[in-house]
Amino acid sequence: MPDALERASSVLTLDAIVVGGGLGGLYALHRLRKLGLTARAFEAGSGVGGTWFWNRYPGARCDVESLEYSYAFDDDLQQEWHWPERYGNQPEILRYIEHVADRFDLRRDVILNTRVVSAQFDQAANLWTVRTDTGVVARAPFCIMATGNLSTPRVPDFKGIENFKGKWYHTGLWPHEGVDFSGLRVGIVGTGSSGVQSIPLIAKQAKHLHVFQRTANFSLPARNAPMDPEIEQRHKSEYSERRLAAFDTPFGIAGFPPPTKSALEVSEEERNAKYESKWAEGGSISFLYSYTDLLLNKDANDTASEFVRNKIRAIVRDQRAAELLAPKDHPIGTKRLCLDTNYYETYNRDNVTLVDARSAPIEEITAAGIRTSEAEFEFDAIVFATGFDAMTGALKEIDIRVGNGPALAEKWDGGPTTYLGLMVAGFPNMFIITGPGSPSVKTQMIVAIEQHMDWIGDCISALKARGMRRIEPSADAERDWVRHVNEVADSTLYPLANSWYVGANIPGKPRVFMPYVGGFAGYKRKCDAVAANDYEGFAMSR
Ligand code: NAP
């Protein structure tokens, strides 16, 4: 029986419902249309773009090079689009996504300003019913979650935040009209990628900027620059080959020759010369690819970590600040490695002060500013670059359940479980794009999105070709995959860091390693083999 809300509102009957209108949701719509299926995407924002719609903070820029960070599904698109810089900034990437939405006429199937609140599967009817905060309801046999991995911004539960008399912002929910910090006393909390990118630009505007750092992060120079026409031309002439070659790499990006030596089998002189050239070249993959074992062997990693710490000591004049900025609590690369433009140099400015929020934690936001256990600071504006409830936050916010069974959020109470990051046992016909247990966040995200959605599209076609209506992974397949994800992570240095990969940034979140770090190539081979092997580990039914 339809409920009152449903009767009062429109009900869309579709072949598939997509949740999210970012890079994943848009490609899902395109792919489903190619299959001749009707679909709509619900998007909470007032525009398409997901991450790139919301994260408009100063300096927001992708840390994957622009010629790579783009869709591969249409050669005319990749040939015609011109990226003005080596790394795309937020306005440029959003312009690109909007162009894709227009070019492939996707906007007519995106319902904006609409947040999905629940998704319920009716076993008898074999239908997902998705309800939204505007009253629009949709029904379809398939539901595709394109909800993103870093889409639930989080401001820590600081006492007194409601009393602050100035204005405060979260980097992931930045005002569209921008913020002018000129002449203002500004405090920024957080030194992850968002902090590292925005601090140099806010410092240029603000009267004074106080940076509250709890944990120092490694950052490498991006060496952003205007696009070199020769590089662009060469890359475009090789696009198809490069995209194919990317499938055989750990990160989904071609062009980085795999390392052949351990960092420990070469002399210190040779090692430092290599690190020096990578530092000059810019970018994180190239640096971490210097040797075979930087993410596997602590002694090997120490050589790279110490190289970067010495760079920080050389750049930052105040040696007390330099030591605070030089990370010592995790091996380089085990937290997302930041890329920056003049981050460490910014601490040489007279109007920037580094505050150690580790030895003197933030205790309260006061009417005037921030009070730590040692001092009170007065601000006109506070920026929270405090990150996201990563990988599971957006899905757990939706009340997803099958019949009257437990919600997905309950099933995931002890950490997320999936088979291949694509589906969850007990939740039939619900697919996740770049879900926990997939390599997504450790790869070029758009390669992962396309690979996932192509697999999902093929899976739906295979189901239909067999006259089947339902698919879900077995509990055994899910358990084995989760075990494999953990075993692979445990064979690396990643678990040594308190990162959002393990949920460490959210108090109370179970410490579970969420991304698959076995590399894109092996993961894709596994997905392809599962499909070729009659969807091994999945049960199909009528
Ligand atoms: P993040 O990496 O999770 O960093 C959050 C920062 O806030 C950390 O420094 C954290 O310190 C600090 N923090 C949190 N709670 C705090 C508290 N109570 N007191 C003091 N400090 C506190 O978040 P993010 O910078 O937004 O980046 C998240 C991810 O988004 C990145 O890792 C990356 O994958 C992606 N991203 C990418 C780009 C890019 O492509 N260039 C740019 C931005 C973001 P602790 O470390 O001590 O917890």
Side-chain angles (χ1 to χ4, degrees):
M1 279 287 286
D3 60 24
L5 177 69
E6 227 172 297
R7 279 196 301 273
S9 57
S10 48
V11 178
L12 299 165
T13 304
L14 303 160
D15 294 320
I17 300 160
V18 177
V19 184
L23 284 158
L26 291 177
Y27 183 60
L29 283 180
H30 178 72
R31 190 70 173 71
L32 291 164
R33 239 188 237 171
K34 290 260 174 213
L35 293 175
L37 301 177
T38 57
R40 293 285 171 84
F42 290 113
E43 166 54 53
S46 60
V48 296
T51 287
W52 300 104
F53 175 86
W54 297 104
N55 285 269
R56 297 170 187 244
Y57 60 83
R61 191 180 285 284
C62 189
D63 54 10
V64 172
E65 295 189 36
S66 50
L67 284 162
E68 295 293 343
Y69 192 80
S70 53
Y71 289 116
F73 69 84
D74 186 277
D75 193 47
D76 290 343
L77 169 67
Q78 64 186 6
Q79 293 297 338
E80 285 165 30
W81 186 263
H82 167 66
W83 293 101
E85 293 176 272
R86 179 176 175 188
Y87 302 89
N89 65 15
Q90 178 273 330
E92 188 60 37
I93 298 171
L94 186 57
R95 220 170 3 258
Y96 168 77
I97 299 172
E98 287 176 342
H99 168 80
V100 171
D102 290 330
R103 185 176 180 125
F104 298 95
D105 190 23
L106 300 172
R107 284 187 201 267
R108 68 182 154 94
D109 284 337
V110 184
I111 303 174
L112 298 171
N113 300 305
T114 306
R115 186 174 285 279
V116 167
V117 293
S118 72
Q120 191 170 29
F121 188 69
D122 177 335
Q123 304 253 35
N126 207 58
L127 284 176
W128 279 100
T129 299
V130 163
R131 290 182 171 78
T132 65
D133 62 354
T134 61
V136 178
V137 176
R139 282 223 174 87
F142 299 104
C143 184
I144 297 169
M145 297 297 184
T147 40
N149 284 295
L150 296 155
S151 46
T152 311
R154 181 184 168 270
V155 176
D157 308 323
F158 289 125
K159 185 174 136 202
I161 197 164
E162 65 289 353
N163 300 328
F164 181 54
K165 293 276 186 270
K167 291 210 166 128
W168 65 263
Y169 310 91
H170 187 285
T171 48
L173 291 169
W174 205 256
H176 286 202
E177 62 281 12
V179 182
D180 183 2
F181 291 109
S182 305
L184 302 186
R185 299 162 305 167
V186 184
I188 183 166
V189 182
T191 50
S193 298
S194 306
V196 160
Q197 287 188 328
S198 55
I199 284 164
L201 290 161
I202 298 174
K204 277 191 188 164
Q205 271 194 350
K207 184 171 168 206
H208 199 98
L209 178 67
H210 281 83
V211 179
F212 292 80
Q213 172 189 273
R214 188 168 64 183
T215 312
N217 255 313
F218 286 102
S219 185
L220 301 177
R223 310 275 180 223
N224 186 40
M227 180 62 71
D228 176 334
E230 259 180 52
I231 292 180
E232 181 179 13
Q233 204 189 13
R234 192 170 60 240
H235 201 104
K236 286 187 172 178
S237 71
E238 299 167 351
Y239 243 141
S240 329
E241 296 85 344
R242 290 184 78 105
R243 298 289 199 188
L244 263 183
F247 288 157
D248 282 325
T249 68
F251 321 101
I253 303 175
F256 297 102
T260 52
K261 285 184 185 167
S262 155
L264 303 176
E265 67 181 84
V266 299
S267 68
E268 189 179 346
E269 204 180 13
E270 181 181 337
R271 218 167 32 221
N272 282 339
K274 165 92 74 145
Y275 293 146
E276 200 63 65
S277 83
K278 303 277 185 172
W279 177 271
E281 178 188 330
S284 55
I285 294 177
S286 160
F287 189 88
L288 292 174
Y289 236 24
S290 298
Y291 295 103
T292 52
D293 49 0
L294 292 187
L295 293 171
L296 301 175
N297 179 316
K298 178 76 170 49
D299 292 338
N301 185 290
D302 283 346
T303 65
S305 294
E306 189 58 13
F307 172 86
V308 176
R309 283 192 287 264
N310 284 335
K311 284 286 182 196
I312 299 168
R313 290 171 184 130
I315 296 169
V316 180
R317 287 197 288 270
D318 171 355
Q319 282 307 297
R320 182 199 143 269
E323 272 323 305
L324 277 177
L325 288 163
K328 291 160 198 108
D329 77 322
H330 66 280
I332 190 167
T334 55
K335 286 178 114 171
R336 176 72 171 214
L337 191 45
C338 305
L339 285 194
D340 73 90
T341 301
N342 295 331
Y343 175 63
Y344 295 115
E345 290 81 350
T346 297
Y347 292 94
N348 292 334
R349 294 176 66 102
D350 292 337
N351 71 332
V352 175
T353 305
L354 180 65
V355 181
D356 181 3
R358 167 77 56 197
S359 66
I362 295 173
E363 293 197 332
E364 186 180 359
I365 308 295
T366 62
I370 292 180
R371 189 173 60 73
T372 69
S373 60
E374 276 179 0
E376 183 162 358
F377 302 83
E378 292 191 1
F379 298 123
D380 304 303
I382 300 175
V383 175
F384 294 107
T386 45
F388 302 85
D389 186 353
M391 303 203 75
T392 53
L395 284 169
K396 286 177 90 171
E397 274 183 0
I398 303 172
D399 184 14
I400 303 172
R401 58 181 84 224
V402 174
N404 295 320
L408 180 74
E410 290 167 55
K411 171 165 172 155
W412 282 5
D413 220 20
T417 54
T418 66
Y419 181 35
L420 301 171
L422 288 162
M423 292 194 90
V424 181
F427 291 78
N429 289 9
M430 183 188 84
F431 298 95
I432 308 173
I433 298 184
T434 69
S438 77
S440 53
V441 295
K442 297 298 305 158
T443 67
Q444 198 274 81
M445 211 32 152
I446 308 179
V447 174
I449 285 169
E450 289 181 287
Q451 183 262 338
H452 280 197
M453 195 49 223
D454 288 343
W455 190 95
I456 294 166
D458 290 348
C459 174
I460 293 175
S461 301
L463 205 61
K464 286 180 179 287
R466 288 164 168 77
M468 300 287 183
R469 297 174 64 216
R470 191 181 299 187
I471 182 164
E472 66 175 297
S474 72
D476 284 352
E478 183 180 85
R479 191 199 51 233
D480 291 349
W481 182 252
V482 170
R483 188 183 297 149
H484 175 62
V485 169
N486 281 295
E487 277 168 7
V488 174
D490 287 342
S491 69
T492 69
L493 300 177
Y494 282 106
L496 297 183
N498 292 322
S499 63
W500 57 258
Y501 299 147
V502 294
N505 63 322
I506 306 286
K509 193 164 171 171
R511 193 181 176 103
V512 173
F513 202 87
M514 295 185 283
Y516 178 57
V517 291
F520 181 82
Y523 172 79
K524 184 179 183 304
R525 276 197 299 276
K526 169 77 180 167
C527 291
D528 291 347
V530 163
N533 214 0
D534 210 18
Y535 289 89
E536 188 182 9
F538 290 96
M540 292 188 181
S541 60
R542 292 210 159 75

